[in-house]
């Protein structure tokens, strides 16, 4: 008799005494049925005009007080209800603007805002202008607008309209968008080059932890103080933020406190460095180094005259000199790498060559609020904007074309080449990991007859044409195949191998086959932990058959798969980690092993 899994009990409304099914499920928060959700909306002064979907979804509503139709999230209404405030922003901003004008009295700006000016402002920032929500409309009064991209209705002031709709917010995510397709986005501690790596205790931490742990990990690890050799355990995140030895740190703190106590009774005249720079009217013999009095005047060797405490000058020197040195280092770094301490490369490439006068690009800070001239090399449009504003809000690449920074076309031109012209937006108007209101269409670059739909994040993470891809191969296997092609020049995936030396089968499908520079062929097998957990015997027989046929065999075994009991000079295993795949690094280790094998074989001949 076949067994059936028990039906999941529906979650019920959290309202006491209500036994109706909840409109949405949740693990830790309250949930309600549709009737109680509507009741809560009415409590916030709204009437729903669309069915409920989920708490974070935008839902069209009508204000019961003023009749303004707008989209709000149910979570937003719950928040306002908790404060006893109506949800409708049209009502809120009308009241706010009226109270602000009353507070300003005769200084209030009572110049009406022309509808044509408000319409132009809204359209410039991606909205369709519907109407003013006050008559006449003064400064800070709300306006009714609709986003051209997501269709969301809202009531907003002109200043808020200038930021554009939330759907157009384009946060800077260079680590997520500039990564190679298919790679994992993890900040591994071993690759961080942080000073804390010198404290890592390789003897007491296992290899798996070293290979997979991130800089933000909250697990404890073993550490070894490079000064006193003390071994201790501490959370990785804490050590990354502040390296402290339980034994050395109290000693350093006690030494600093003792030294500071001595400076409290030590005159400036007794410290040669301070006395040489002293330029204050007060007698240095009467002023203590750790003095709580007024700031003192010093003269540094470069002629600066800073005013600061003697103790601060002794510890840090002249602040003007430090600033000049930092600026010089920054300029030098920018000359070597334009993105180091400077504008990101995409914005820097739009620097106008003639309209910025004597201002040098290398000296412009990303946070500068000075208006600069820019020119988009793709369309030729020119405009003025501050570097700081270019990295905020919508982060437009061109304000006239409405293209964005960090777009799919900029980071992944090979994917942009497959972006279908039938899509509502261009590849310059979408982020690689963004979301769209439509399912993006793609056209295969290898075969234009192949067309399909796939999310942006799926493509940015390595998915390809479903009709061209290798069937039966996982993404991670394909990534290692690509790495093998880069390392060896040529590699085959899923090749069927036949040989008279095979004892178990007439043929084997090899994950990756490589023609090496030596006399032997190389077979690379990727053993995933999930699929190979109960295939030890099969993996052993396959390896032995390939070795008997004259192949070198390299098995990439996912941790924690145990090693296979094979002892052969042409066989090697390499531990890999599913959480942090590094195809190029792993294949390079395989290539180094092959090179050593070839060199050893040549020496024997």
């Amino acid at each position: 008799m076949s067994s059936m899994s028990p039906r999941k009990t529906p979650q019920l409304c959290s309202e006491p005494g209500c036994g109706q099914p909840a409109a949405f499920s949740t693990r830790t928060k309250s949930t309600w049925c549709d009737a109680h959700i509507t009741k809560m909306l009415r409590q916030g002064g709204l009437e729903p005009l669309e069915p409920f979907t989920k708490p974070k979804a935008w839902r069209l509503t009508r204000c019961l007080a003023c009749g303004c139709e707008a989209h709000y999230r149910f979570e937003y209404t719950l928040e306002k209800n908790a404060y006893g405030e109506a949800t409708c922003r049209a009502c809120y901003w009308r009241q706010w603007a009226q109270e602000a004008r009353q507070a300003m009295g005769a200084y209030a700006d009572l110049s009406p805002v022309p509808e044509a000016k408000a319409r132009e402002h809204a359209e410039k920032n991606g909205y369709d202008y519907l109407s003013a929500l006050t008559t006449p409309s003064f400064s800070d009064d709300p306006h009714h607008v609709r986003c051209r991209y997501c269709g969301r209705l809202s009531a907003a002031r002109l200043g808020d309209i200038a930021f554009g709709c939330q759907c157009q917010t384009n946060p800077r995510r260079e680590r997520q968008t500039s990564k190679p397709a298919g790679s994992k986005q993890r900040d591994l501690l071993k690759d961080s080059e942080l000073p804390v790596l010198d404290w890592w205790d390789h003897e007491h931490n296992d290899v798996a932890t070293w290979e997979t742990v991130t800089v933000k990990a909250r697990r404890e690890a073993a550490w070894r103080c490079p000064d006193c050799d003390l071994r201790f355990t501490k959370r990785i995140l804490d050590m990354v933020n502040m390296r402290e030895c339980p034994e050395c740190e109290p000693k350093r703190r006690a030494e600093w406190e003792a030294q500071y106590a001595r400076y409290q009774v030590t005159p400036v005249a007794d410290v040669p460095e301070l006395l040489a720079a002293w330029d204050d009217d007060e007698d240095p013999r009467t002023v203590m180094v750790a003095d709580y009095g007024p700031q003192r005047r010093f003269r540094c060797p470069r002629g600066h005259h800073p005013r600061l405490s003697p103790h601060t000058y002794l510890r840090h020197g002249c602040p003007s000199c430090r600033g000049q040195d930092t600026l010089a280092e920054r300029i030098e770094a920018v000359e070597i790498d334009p993105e180091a301490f400077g504008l990101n490369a995409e914005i820097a490439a739009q620097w106008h060559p003639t309209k910025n006068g004597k201002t040098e690009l290398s000296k412009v800070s990303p946070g500068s609020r000075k208006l600069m001239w820019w020119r988009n090399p793709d369309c030729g449009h020119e405009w003025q904007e501050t570097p700081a504003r270019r990295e905020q809000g919508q982060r437009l690449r061109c304000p006239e074309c409405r293209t964005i920074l960090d777009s799919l076309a900029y980071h992944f031109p090979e994917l942009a080449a497959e972006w279908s012209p039938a899509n509502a937006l261009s590849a310059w108007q979408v982020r690689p990991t963004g979301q769209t209101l439509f399912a993006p269409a793609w056209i295969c670059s290898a075969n234009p007859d192949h067309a399909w739909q796939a999310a942006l994040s799926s493509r940015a993470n390595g998915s390809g044409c479903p009709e061209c891809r290798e069937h039966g191969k996982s993404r991670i296997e394909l990534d290692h195949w690509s790495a093998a092609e880069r390392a060896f020049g040529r590699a085959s995936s899923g090749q069927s191998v036949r040989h008279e030396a095979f004892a178990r089968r007439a043929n084997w499908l090899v994950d990756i086959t490589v023609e090496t520079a030596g006399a032997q062929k190389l077979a690379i097998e990727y053993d995933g932990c999930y699929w190979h957990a109960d295939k030890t015997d099969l993996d052993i027989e396959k390896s032995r058959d390939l070795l008997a046929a004259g192949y070198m065999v390299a098995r990439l075994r996912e941790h924690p798969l145990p090693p296979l009991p094979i002892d052969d000079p042409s066989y090697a295993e390499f531990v890999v980690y599913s959480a942090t795949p590094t195809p190029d690094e792993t294949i390079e280790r395989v290539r180094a092993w092959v090179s050593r094998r070839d060199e050893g074989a040549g020496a024997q001949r």
Side-chain angles (χ1 to χ4, degrees), residues 68-140:
C68 180
E69 295 185 0
H71 288 85
Y72 299 100
R73 290 189 171 109
F74 176 57
E75 286 188 344
Y76 185 76
T77 298
L78 288 178
E79 177 185 339
K80 296 304 176 184
N81 286 354
Y83 291 112
E85 180 183 311
T87 305
C88 177
R89 293 297 90 183
C91 293
Y92 178 85
W93 290 122
R94 268 194 296 258
Q95 182 66 24
W96 183 92
Q98 183 178 356
E99 292 176 355
R101 286 192 290 268
Q102 290 176 352
M104 295 182 68
Y107 298 99
D109 183 6
L110 297 180
S111 302
V113 177
E115 181 179 326
K117 181 179 178 180
R119 184 182 303 278
E120 179 184 1
H121 180 72
E123 293 175 351
K124 177 183 176 182
N125 291 282
Y127 289 100
D128 289 326
Y129 186 80
L130 302 181
S131 66
L133 292 173
T134 57
T135 305
S137 178
F138 299 116
S139 176
D140 289 332

Side-chain angles (χ1 to χ4, degrees), residues 444-461:
C444 180
S445 57
N447 188 338
D449 293 333
H450 297 168
W452 75 103
Q453 291 181 322
L456 285 161
S457 58
S458 173
R459 292 305 318 270
N461 282 319

Side-chain angles (χ1 to χ4, degrees), residues 200-272:
W200 187 262
D201 192 342
H202 288 276
E203 295 180 19
H204 288 75
N205 292 311
D206 56 47
V207 177
T209 301
W210 170 254
E211 292 289 341
T212 60
V213 75
T214 68
V215 295
K216 296 182 179 179
R218 297 181 180 273
R219 73 174 80 170
E220 287 197 342
W223 308 92
R224 186 173 185 173
C225 177
D227 295 327
C228 70
D229 214 32
L230 175 71
R231 283 189 163 95
F232 61 96
T233 59
K234 196 172 182 179
R235 293 198 316 172
I236 292 169
L237 176 64
D238 295 337
M239 284 295 290
V240 168
N241 291 333
M242 182 174 293
R243 304 182 309 280
E244 287 186 348
C245 170
E247 190 169 300
C248 296
E249 190 57 31
K251 292 180 181 179
R252 290 194 184 99
R253 190 175 297 112
E255 291 173 358
W256 187 90
E257 291 174 354
Q259 185 185 55
Y260 189 79
R262 289 194 299 270
Y263 281 144
Q264 287 180 317
V265 294
T266 302
V268 170
D270 291 352
V271 182

Side-chain angles (χ1 to χ4, degrees), residues 132-171:
L133 292 173
T134 57
T135 305
S137 178
F138 299 116
S139 176
D140 289 332
D141 278 335
H143 300 261
H144 202 198
V145 293
R146 178 193 291 112
C147 175
R148 290 178 173 176
Y149 306 100
C150 67
R152 185 165 67 89
L153 292 172
S154 58
R157 298 171 299 172
L158 293 178
D160 298 326
I161 289 173
F163 289 99
C165 180
Q166 291 183 26
C167 75
Q168 295 297 293
T169 301
N170 178 25

Side-chain angles (χ1 to χ4, degrees), residues 309-449:
S309 71
H311 189 248
T312 301
Y313 188 87
L314 180 63
R315 293 185 63 197
H316 303 295
C318 173
S320 298
C321 292
R322 292 203 314 273
Q324 289 181 351
D325 293 340
T326 301
L327 178 60
E329 291 174 1
R330 177 180 175 275
I331 293 174
E332 182 180 356
V334 170
E335 290 174 352
I336 298 173
D337 179 6
E339 264 196 285
F341 306 104
L343 302 174
N344 76 60
E346 189 173 6
I347 293 179
Q350 295 183 315
W351 181 259
H352 200 289
T354 59
K355 290 190 174 182
N356 287 306
K358 297 181 179 180
T359 305
E360 298 179 21
L361 176 61
S362 61
K363 296 182 180 180
V364 175
S365 168
S368 171
R369 299 188 179 279
K370 181 180 178 181
L371 278 176
M372 304 293 183
W373 276 98
W374 311 92
R375 183 173 69 183
N376 187 4
D378 303 304
C379 61
H381 291 144
E382 300 178 355
W383 71 98
Q384 278 186 297
E385 188 55 273
T386 68
R389 283 285 298 162
R390 294 218 57 190
E391 288 281 31
Q392 297 172 358
Q394 300 180 53
R395 300 182 65 246
L396 296 175
R397 179 181 172 89
C398 174
E400 292 193 44
C401 299
R402 304 296 297 178
T403 53
I404 63 173
L405 297 170
D406 284 330
S407 67
L408 177 77
Y410 178 77
H411 284 291
F412 296 111
E414 71 281 3
L415 296 184
E418 296 187 330
W419 182 260
S420 173
N423 289 319
L425 301 173
S426 75
W428 289 101
Q429 294 173 311
V430 294
R431 297 190 301 273
T433 53
Q435 295 182 346
T436 56
L437 296 175
F438 58 92
W442 309 86
I443 299 175
C444 180
S445 57
N447 188 338
D449 293 333

Side-chain angles (χ1 to χ4, degrees), residues 29-40:
K29 297 182 180 180
S30 299
T31 181
W32 298 274
C33 64
D34 189 71
H36 279 103
I37 289 175
T38 301
K39 182 179 180 181
M40 292 174 183

Side-chain angles (χ1 to χ4, degrees), residues 260 268 274 278 280 287-298 306-319 322:
Y260 189 79
V268 170
L274 292 179
W278 189 256
D280 197 81
V287 179
M288 301 300 117
V289 175
D291 181 38
Y292 291 104
Q295 303 289 296
R296 305 298 180 179
R297 178 182 169 94
F298 291 87
R307 285 188 176 273
L308 63 169
S309 71
H311 189 248
T312 301
Y313 188 87
L314 180 63
R315 293 185 63 197
H316 303 295
C318 173
R322 292 203 314 273

